[in-house]
């Protein structure tokens, strides 16, 4: 394969490149470098489909020939990135797993400025207030993508969407939808320009989630896992809705509630 012509082979667990990629598990390192780690050919294929190539492509010695791998090597080298071959113990060390993916990519993080969001390009968008669980956030990004939402806006102090755990939970959708972030004040100012309805989700809402007449594009606001949607953000919504809780459970998991909401809105639009 082409990779054997151009790449360097790393065998040392203490190699600087290995250390710097492993450090991407830490938020501080991701913030300093503006990069993140995506593991596996599925993720790398999604990135390539969105015109994003790795800055660094790590290929395990045991990686099997695959069309996506060939595309990834070509795109990485074409765009000035580096391709390296690594041993299985290095993949284990970087992924912190016994059964690591055989191909890893390091990518630039991308955030869409609020001003660049085009609301009408999708029937719905999701805004999350202070989401704390990386698995929830990754699942929401994946679900938003699946339902045809334009993207996810992170309000206030949220977990990092580019953490290894969040990225894994997106199953590649981290490359497919816009990700934006804003303070509550920035969000509230921007919300004034929203052309459709802004829909809050609260357990104390009087309106059922299927009873509200929602004008597209919908901006669906979801609250924090513990505290729920704050009064300030709920007051900025055109309507607040509730998904019925028919059993003993007080509330739905945040990602599940988001799934119910985005499909209700996108199916109706
Ligand atoms: N104790 C929190 C509360 O009182 O809101 C529970 C938060 S819940 C686990 C996390 C988020 O999921 C909520 O802020 C809301 O956005 C959404 N959610 C969960 N269950 C919901 C329901 N039945 N109706 C509407 N939204 C719901």
């Amino acid at each position: 394969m082409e990779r054997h012509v151009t790449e360097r082979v790393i065998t040392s667990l203490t190699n600087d490149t290995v250390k710097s990629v492993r450090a991407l598990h830490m938020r501080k390192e991701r913030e300093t470098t503006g990069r993140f780690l995506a593991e596996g050919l599925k993720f790398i294929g999604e990135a390539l489909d969105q015109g994003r190539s790795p800055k660094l492509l790590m290929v395990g010695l045991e990686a099997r020939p695959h069309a996506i791998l060939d595309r990834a090597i070509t795109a990485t080298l074409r765009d000035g990135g580096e391709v390296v071959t690594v041993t299985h113990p290095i993949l284990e060390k970087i992924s912190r797993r016994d059964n690591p993916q055989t191909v890893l990519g390091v990518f630039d993080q991308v955030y869409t400025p609020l001003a660049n969001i085009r609301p009408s390009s999708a029937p719905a968008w999701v805004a999350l207030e202070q989401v704390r669980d990386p698995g929830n956030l990754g699942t929401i990004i994946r679900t938003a993508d699946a339902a045809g939402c334009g993207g996810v806006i992170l309000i206030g102090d949220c977990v990092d969407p580019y953490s290894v755990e969040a990225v894994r939970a997106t199953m590649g959708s981290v490359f497919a939808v816009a990700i934006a972030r804003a303070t509550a004040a920035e969000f509230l100012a921007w919300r004034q320009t929203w052309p459709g309805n802004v829909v809050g989700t609260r357990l104390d809402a009087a309106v059922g989630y299927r009873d509200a007449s929602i004008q597209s594009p919908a901006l669906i606001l979801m609250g924090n896992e513990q505290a729920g949607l704050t009064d300030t953000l709920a007051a900025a919504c055109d309507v607040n809705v509730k998904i019925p809780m028919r059993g003993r459970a007080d509330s739905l998991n945040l990602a599940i509630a988001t799934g119910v909401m985005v499909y209700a809105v996108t199916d109706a639009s």
Side-chain angles (χ1 to χ4, degrees):
M1 283 200 301
E2 187 181 349
R3 65 191 168 98
H4 293 301
V5 178
T6 55
E7 72 205 8
R8 92 190 138 98
V9 180
I10 302 176
T11 56
S12 166
L13 289 169
T14 57
N15 173 277
D16 282 347
T17 301
V18 173
K19 283 191 206 158
S20 66
V21 176
R22 190 165 194 262
L24 292 173
H25 281 269
M26 292 182 289
R27 185 166 195 162
K28 191 165 180 297
E29 181 72 8
R30 292 192 300 275
E31 283 172 357
T32 307
T33 60
R35 294 195 168 165
F36 72 102
L37 178 63
E39 303 158 295
L41 276 188
K42 162 142 180 65
F43 285 74
I44 289 165
E46 292 295 331
L48 296 174
D49 287 348
Q50 299 299 326
R52 307 258 301 269
S53 61
K55 299 299 161 194
L56 173 68
L57 187 69
M58 283 193 148
V59 185
L61 279 168
E62 72 272 38
R64 292 171 185 277
H66 196 288
I68 295 177
L69 180 54
D70 288 344
R71 278 178 67 205
I73 292 168
T74 302
T76 304
L77 296 174
R78 180 197 62 210
D79 296 340
E82 187 182 12
V83 180
V84 296
T85 297
V86 295
T87 60
H88 188 80
I90 288 175
L91 292 172
E92 281 182 333
K93 182 170 181 183
I94 289 174
S95 68
R96 301 183 179 177
R97 285 183 160 177
D98 292 337
N99 57 343
Q101 296 284 339
T102 54
V103 184
L104 309 178
V106 173
F107 291 86
D108 280 338
Q109 299 176 20
V110 174
Y111 285 100
T112 302
L114 285 184
N116 289 2
I117 286 180
R118 291 183 298 112
S120 300
S121 64
W125 295 72
V126 175
L128 304 173
E129 185 180 26
Q130 297 188 17
V131 56
R132 288 288 153 74
D133 184 290
N136 274 344
L137 178 52
T139 303
I140 289 168
I141 290 170
R142 177 183 181 181
T143 306
D145 175 23
C149 297
V152 174
I153 297 132
L154 304 174
I155 307 168
D157 183 18
C158 288
V159 70
D160 182 358
Y162 291 108
S163 71
V164 173
E165 193 180 348
V167 169
R168 282 175 182 161
T170 71
M171 290 303 292
S173 294
V174 67
F175 296 105
V177 296
I179 299 175
R181 53 186 172 179
T183 64
E186 288 166 345
F187 177 82
L188 288 168
W190 174 74
R191 174 262 172 276
Q192 300 299 327
T193 66
W194 192 262
N197 283 155
V198 181
V199 183
T201 52
R202 290 257 294 211
L203 297 170
D204 61 0
V207 181
Y209 78 116
R210 288 193 180 281
D211 299 330
S213 161
I214 296 170
Q215 191 190 322
S216 253
L219 178 54
I220 303 166
L221 260 70
M222 309 300 300
N224 165 267
E225 288 94 335
Q226 275 78 44
L229 193 63
T230 55
D231 292 343
T232 309
L233 286 191
C237 294
D238 296 309
V239 61
N240 282 279
V241 300
K242 176 177 180 176
I243 303 163
M245 293 284 96
R246 300 193 177 106
R248 297 279 303 161
D250 293 334
S251 66
L252 290 166
N253 160 274
L254 169 62
I256 299 286
T258 308
V260 172
M261 286 302 304
V262 292
Y263 272 97
V265 169
T266 55
D267 281 352
S269 66

